[in-house]
C-alpha cells in the first residue's frame, strides 16, 4: 500500500506532508539528488536543461502576467511550483497558492502557479447547499453559470450562454439570502464579466478573478498557463526525449501504473490513469493533441520511420518529423504554425515540472497520490530517484448554521431505544404500573442458571416478562424512536452542510482572507 493522504477533519486545519517546517530539508535533498543525476534530456545534461527550463518558465510567466496588466514579483531564479485547473475550486485547493507563496518567501525561491488549462471543463455549475429548518429538506443543488457543451479544454472554452452566466448572482442570492452573510460571489462576478467582455475565455477569466483576490490579500505568485508552458523550447526538448525513446518510455509508464494498481489493490485499468496503447507499430505518447478549430482532445501516436518519426492525432496524420534534436526542434514549430496544439497529460506535466524546473512541487491530495506513479516512472526511465514533493490541503467549511445533534446524542438515543426494548424495568413507569413484573425480572436476572437446559426455560421467562412490560413504556419508546430519527436526519444534514467541497465563491471574503493569510 502506498501513502495515504486524508483531508484534515477540523475546520480550518491544514494537511501538510511533509510538515511545512521540513520543506527546507526537502529542498536541500532535491537539489543534491538532481545535481548528482547522470541524466540527459534533448542532448543537454539535466543541470543545463533545468537552467534553461527555469529561465523560460519565469520569462513566460512574467510576459503572461504583463500582458494582463499585472506586475510579476520574483526575487529568485529558483522555483517552488504548484498548479491546478482554472476552476471555482474549494478553499482546501486554493490554500496551496498561499502556502506556495509563504514557502517560496521563507526559502528564497520564486513561487510559480501553473494553470492547467489543457484539462477539460468538468461542469459549469456550482454545488450549493440547500439550508432549511427541517433537516430532511437539506440537500445540494447544482446552480449552473453556463450551459454544458462539448468537452473542450479550458484554453479553448468560451462562455456558451452569457445570459445564464450574467444571471448567476441573482439565482445564487435566492439560495443564500438566509445565510447571514453575502458570499464573495457578489463582488467577484462583476470582475468576471469584465474579463469576459475584454475577450478572455472562461478559464482565463476565472484565473484572473482568483488572482485579483490573491493580490488583494498580499500574494503575488508568478503564474503560467500550461498552454504557454508548452510553447517553450524546454518543453519541446522534453517531448523530443520521450518521442525518440517512446517504446521504452511506454514500457516504464505502464509498468509504473501496474505496480501502483497492485500495491493499492486497484482493479480498474483506468485508475490512476489508463495505460498507453500500442496499435501495431503505432505507439501512444503521453500527450493530448487538437486544433483550435476542432477543440476535442485526441491521443498522440508516433512510430519510427527511419531517421524520422511519423505522428498521428487520433486517426489523422500529422506527417513526419526528424528524430535528431535540431531537426525535431525546428520542425516541431511547423506543427504549431499549422494550428496543432500538443499538451502534456497529468503525469507528463508533473514529470516535466519536477525534473525540468521545480525545486519542489506542492500537490493537493489527488495529485499527491497519482504522482507516486511519476516517481516510479522517473526511477524506471531516467534511472534516478525522483525529487520529493509536498502534499498540502485544508478543510475550510462554510460558516452556515448547522443542527445541534451530535453523534454522541445519537448514540445515547439509540441506547435508550434498546433499553426501552430490553430493559424497561430500569424506567420509572414500570416500577409504578407493574411492580410485580419488575420484581420478577430482577429475580430472574439474579437467578440466572448455569445449566444449558435450564437456561432455555429461564430465557423464555425473561422474554415473557420483558414483553409484558413494554406496553407500559410504549409512548416513551415511540418518542425516543422519533428522537433517533430526528438526530439521524440532523447528522445527515450536517454532513452536507459541513462538506469541505463547496466552492470558494460561497464564502464571505473575510473568512477566506483570514484562513489564507495565516499560511503566508
Amino acid at each position: 500500500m502506498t501513502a495515504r493522504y486524508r483531508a484534515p477533519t477540523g475546520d480550518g486545519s491544514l494537511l501538510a506532508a511533509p510538515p511545512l517546517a521540513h520543506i527546507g530539508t526537502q529542498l536541500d535533498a532535491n537539489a543534491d539528488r538532481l545535481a548528482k543525476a547522470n541524466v540527459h534530456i534533448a542532448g543537454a545534461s539535466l543541470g543545463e536543461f533545468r537552467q534553461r527550463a527555469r529561465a523560460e518558465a519565469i520569462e513566460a510567466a512574467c510576459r503572461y502576467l504583463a500582458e494582463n496588466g499585472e506586475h510579476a514579483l520574483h526575487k529568485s531564479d529558483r522555483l517552488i511550483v504548484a498548479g491546478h485547473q482554472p476552476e471555482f475550486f474549494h478553499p482546501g485547493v486554493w490554500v496551496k497558492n498561499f502556502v506556495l507563496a509563504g514557502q517560496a518567501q521563507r526559502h528564497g525561491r520564486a513561487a510559480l502557479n501553473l494553470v492547467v488549462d489543457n484539462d477539460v471543463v468538468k461542469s459549469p455549475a456550482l454545488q450549493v447547499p440547500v439550508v432549511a429548518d427541517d433537516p430532511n429538506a437539506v440537500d445540494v443543488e447544482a446552480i449552473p453559470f453556463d450551459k454544458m457543451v462539448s468537452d473542450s479544454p479550458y484554453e479553448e472554452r468560451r462562455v456558451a450562454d452569457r445570459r445564464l452566466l450574467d444571471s448567476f448572482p441573482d439565482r445564487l442570492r435566492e439560495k443564500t439570502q438566509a445565510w447571514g452573510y453575502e458570499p464573495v460571489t457578489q463582488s467577484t462576478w462583476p470582475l468576471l464579466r469584465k474579463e469576459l467582455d475584454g475577450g478572455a475565455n472562461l478559464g482565463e477569466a476565472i484565473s484572473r478573478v482568483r488572482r485579483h483576490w490573491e493580490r488583494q490579500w498580499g500574494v503575488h505568485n508568478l503564474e503560467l498557463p500550461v498552454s504557454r508552458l508548452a510553447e517553450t523550447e524546454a518543453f519541446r526538448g522534453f517531448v523530443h526525449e520521450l518521442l525518440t525513446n517512446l517504446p521504452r518510455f511506454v514500457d516504464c509508464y505502464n509498468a509504473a501504473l501496474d505496480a501502483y494498481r497492485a500495491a493499492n489493490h486497484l482493479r480498474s485499468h483506468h485508475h490512476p490513469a489508463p495505460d498507453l496503447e500500442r496499435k501495431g507499430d503505432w505507439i501512444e505518447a503521453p500527450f493530448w493533441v487538437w486544433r483550435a478549430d476542432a477543440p476535442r482532445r485526441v491521443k498522440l501516436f508516433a512510430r519510427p520511420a527511419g531517421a524520422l518519426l511519423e505522428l498521428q492525432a487520433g486517426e489523422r496524420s500529422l506527417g513526419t518529423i526528424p528524430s535528431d534534436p535540431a531537426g525535431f526542434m525546428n520542425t516541431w514549430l511547423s506543427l504549431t504554425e499549422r494550428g496543432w496544439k500538443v499538451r502534456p497529460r497529468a503525469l507528463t506535466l508533473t514529470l516535466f515540472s519536477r525534473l525540468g524546473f521545480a525545486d519542489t512541487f506542492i500537490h493537493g491530495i489527488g495529485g499527491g497520490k497519482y504522482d507516486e506513479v511519476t516517481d516510479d516512472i522517473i526511477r524506471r526511465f531516467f534511472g534516478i530517484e525522483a525529487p520529493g514533493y509536498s502534499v498540502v490541503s485544508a478543510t475550510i467549511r462554510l460558516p452556515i448554521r448547522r443542527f445541534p445533534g451530535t453523534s454522541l446524542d445519537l448514540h445515547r438515543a439509540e441506547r435508550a431505544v434498546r433499553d426501552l426494548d430490553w430493559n424497561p424495568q430500569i424506567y420509572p413507569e414500570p416500577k409504578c404500573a407493574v411492580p410485580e413484573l419488575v420484581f420478577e425480572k430482577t429475580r430472574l436476572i439474579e437467578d440466572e442458571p448455569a445449566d444449558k437446559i435450564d437456561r432455555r426455560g429461564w430465557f423464555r421467562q425473561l422474554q415473557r416478562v420483558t414483553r409484558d412490560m413494554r406496553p407500559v413504556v410504549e409512548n416513551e419508546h415511540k418518542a425516543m424512536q422519533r428522537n433517533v430519527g430526528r438526530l439521524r436526519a440532523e447528522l445527515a444534514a450536517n454532513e452536507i452542510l459541513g462538506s469541505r467541497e463547496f466552492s470558494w465563491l460561497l464564502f464571505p471574503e473575510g473568512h477566506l482572507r483570514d484562513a489564507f493569510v495565516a499560511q503566508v
Side-chain angles (χ1 to χ4, degrees):
M1 183 67 69
T2 56
R4 288 179 175 269
Y5 304 107
R6 299 194 181 279
T9 56
D11 192 6
S13 54
L14 183 79
L15 164 71
L20 297 183
H22 297 174
I23 295 296
T25 302
Q26 185 182 78
L27 288 167
D28 291 341
N30 285 353
D32 182 64
R33 183 170 295 176
L34 292 167
K36 293 177 179 177
N38 184 20
V39 171
H40 287 74
I41 298 178
S45 69
L46 183 59
E48 294 169 335
F49 182 81
R50 283 177 58 80
Q51 185 174 7
R52 182 171 76 243
R54 281 197 306 266
E56 287 187 313
I58 291 171
E59 181 185 1
C62 291
R63 185 168 60 250
Y64 163 73
L65 292 174
E67 289 172 5
N68 293 300
E70 300 176 52
H71 183 53
L73 297 178
H74 68 98
K75 299 178 180 180
S76 173
D77 62 352
R78 305 290 294 278
L79 294 169
I80 298 179
V81 183
H84 205 273
Q85 295 84 357
E87 302 168 344
F88 292 122
F89 34 61
H90 63 82
V93 171
W94 199 0
V95 76
K96 290 188 302 178
N97 291 28
F98 296 85
V99 171
L100 173 68
Q103 292 302 308
Q105 182 176 4
R106 195 161 292 117
H107 298 289
R109 263 67 168 185
L112 173 64
N113 180 56
L114 297 176
V115 180
V116 188
D117 60 346
N118 53 315
D119 268 7
V120 298
V121 181
K122 294 175 184 174
S123 172
L126 249 58
Q127 300 294 316
V128 179
V130 177
V131 179
D133 294 331
D134 178 2
N136 291 295
V138 171
D139 202 351
V140 176
E141 182 177 343
I143 302 181
F145 54 84
D146 195 13
K147 70 179 182 181
M148 193 66 193
V149 294
S150 61
D151 54 348
S152 58
Y154 271 102
E155 65 175 283
E156 309 292 353
R157 180 66 154 80
R158 297 282 171 177
V159 172
D161 189 334
R162 185 57 190 263
R163 286 192 298 179
L164 193 63
L165 184 135
D166 288 343
S167 66
F168 179 76
D170 293 334
R171 288 182 286 116
L172 180 65
R173 187 179 287 111
E174 294 175 4
K175 306 296 180 181
T176 63
Q177 57 187 356
W179 287 12
Y181 66 85
E182 182 176 88
V184 73
T185 307
Q186 304 304 329
S187 49
T188 299
W189 222 248
L191 303 173
L192 184 74
R193 288 197 295 258
K194 182 179 178 182
E195 297 295 346
L196 294 170
D197 290 342
N201 61 38
L202 180 61
E204 180 60 36
I206 291 173
S207 296
R208 290 181 190 177
V209 298
R210 171 186 47 77
R211 289 199 301 272
H212 163 82
W213 291 115
E214 291 176 4
R215 306 308 193 234
Q216 290 284 311
W217 301 333
V219 165
H220 297 266
N221 295 336
L222 293 172
E223 191 147 302
L224 183 64
V226 172
S227 55
R228 298 290 190 98
L229 180 66
E231 296 172 354
T232 62
E233 183 179 342
F235 181 76
R236 294 197 299 273
F238 175 72
V239 175
H240 172 267
E241 185 68 26
L242 299 195
L243 291 186
T244 53
N245 294 281
L246 194 55
R248 188 169 71 84
F249 181 81
V250 168
D251 287 342
C252 295
Y253 186 100
N254 290 347
L257 286 171
D258 285 342
Y260 183 90
R261 294 182 192 119
N264 291 278
H265 310 291
L266 301 174
R267 295 183 178 181
S268 171
H269 286 278
H270 293 277
H271 187 78
D275 286 353
L276 296 174
E277 299 179 279
R278 282 182 165 87
K279 295 182 177 180
D281 52 356
W282 286 102
I283 304 176
E284 182 184 354
F287 301 97
W288 296 116
V289 59
W290 70 86
R291 290 175 56 91
D293 56 2
R296 185 180 181 86
R297 303 187 308 182
V298 296
K299 298 173 180 178
L300 179 67
F301 287 87
R303 66 179 178 184
L308 302 173
L309 287 170
E310 191 173 353
L311 302 179
Q312 190 167 279
E315 302 296 328
R316 185 172 176 180
S317 175
L318 297 180
T320 58
I321 188 169
S323 57
D324 67 283
F328 182 96
M329 301 291 270
N330 291 330
T331 310
W332 188 263
L333 293 175
S334 69
L335 282 177
T336 60
E337 290 168 358
R338 287 156 45 201
W340 290 104
K341 302 183 179 185
V342 178
R343 304 290 184 256
R345 300 193 192 178
L347 295 176
T348 324
L349 173 61
T350 53
L351 173 58
F352 174 54
S353 302
R354 291 171 60 197
L355 275 188
F357 52 86
D359 285 0
T360 193
F361 198 101
I362 298 178
H363 274 299
I365 290 175
K369 290 178 180 178
Y370 76 64
D371 233 25
E372 291 185 15
V373 180
T374 308
D375 285 353
D376 200 10
I377 295 171
I378 291 172
R379 194 177 301 117
R380 293 170 186 269
F381 184 72
F382 291 101
I384 62 171
E385 285 300 315
Y389 59 86
S390 302
V391 174
V392 168
S393 189
T395 293
I396 303 173
R397 297 188 171 95
L398 287 171
I400 53 180
R401 61 185 174 90
R402 298 186 183 88
F403 294 92
T406 66
S407 56
L408 180 59
D409 294 333
L410 178 60
H411 174 74
R412 288 171 175 166
E414 289 174 334
R415 177 64 182 268
V417 169
R418 287 195 299 272
D419 282 342
L420 286 162
D421 272 331
W422 301 107
N423 296 293
Q425 74 279 1
I426 68 175
Y427 288 87
E429 293 84 351
K431 293 176 182 178
C432 295
V434 285
E436 70 283 359
L437 293 177
V438 173
F439 176 79
E440 184 178 359
K441 182 163 184 180
T442 304
R443 180 184 59 79
L444 285 166
I445 292 172
E446 291 173 351
D447 296 339
E448 180 180 352
D451 184 78
K452 272 189 177 182
I453 297 175
D454 292 342
R455 281 179 60 83
R456 292 195 191 100
W458 169 85
F459 187 68
R460 283 194 292 269
Q461 291 181 50
L462 200 64
Q463 283 183 313
R464 174 186 56 77
V465 173
T466 301
R467 185 172 61 249
D468 290 346
M469 275 191 284
R470 281 175 184 158
V472 180
V473 294
E474 183 178 4
N475 289 338
E476 189 168 353
H477 185 270
K478 289 179 178 178
M480 193 54 67
Q481 283 183 316
R482 288 194 296 271
N483 189 40
V484 166
R486 176 186 62 80
L487 287 167
R488 286 175 178 167
E490 287 189 1
L491 290 176
N494 285 345
E495 189 76 17
I496 293 172
L497 299 172
S499 170
R500 69 190 287 269
E501 301 295 326
F502 293 120
S503 166
W504 64 266
L505 281 174
L506 302 181
F507 287 75
E509 177 193 343
H511 196 84
L512 294 173
R513 182 189 61 242
D514 294 346
F516 291 153
V517 171
Q519 305 302 331
V520 178

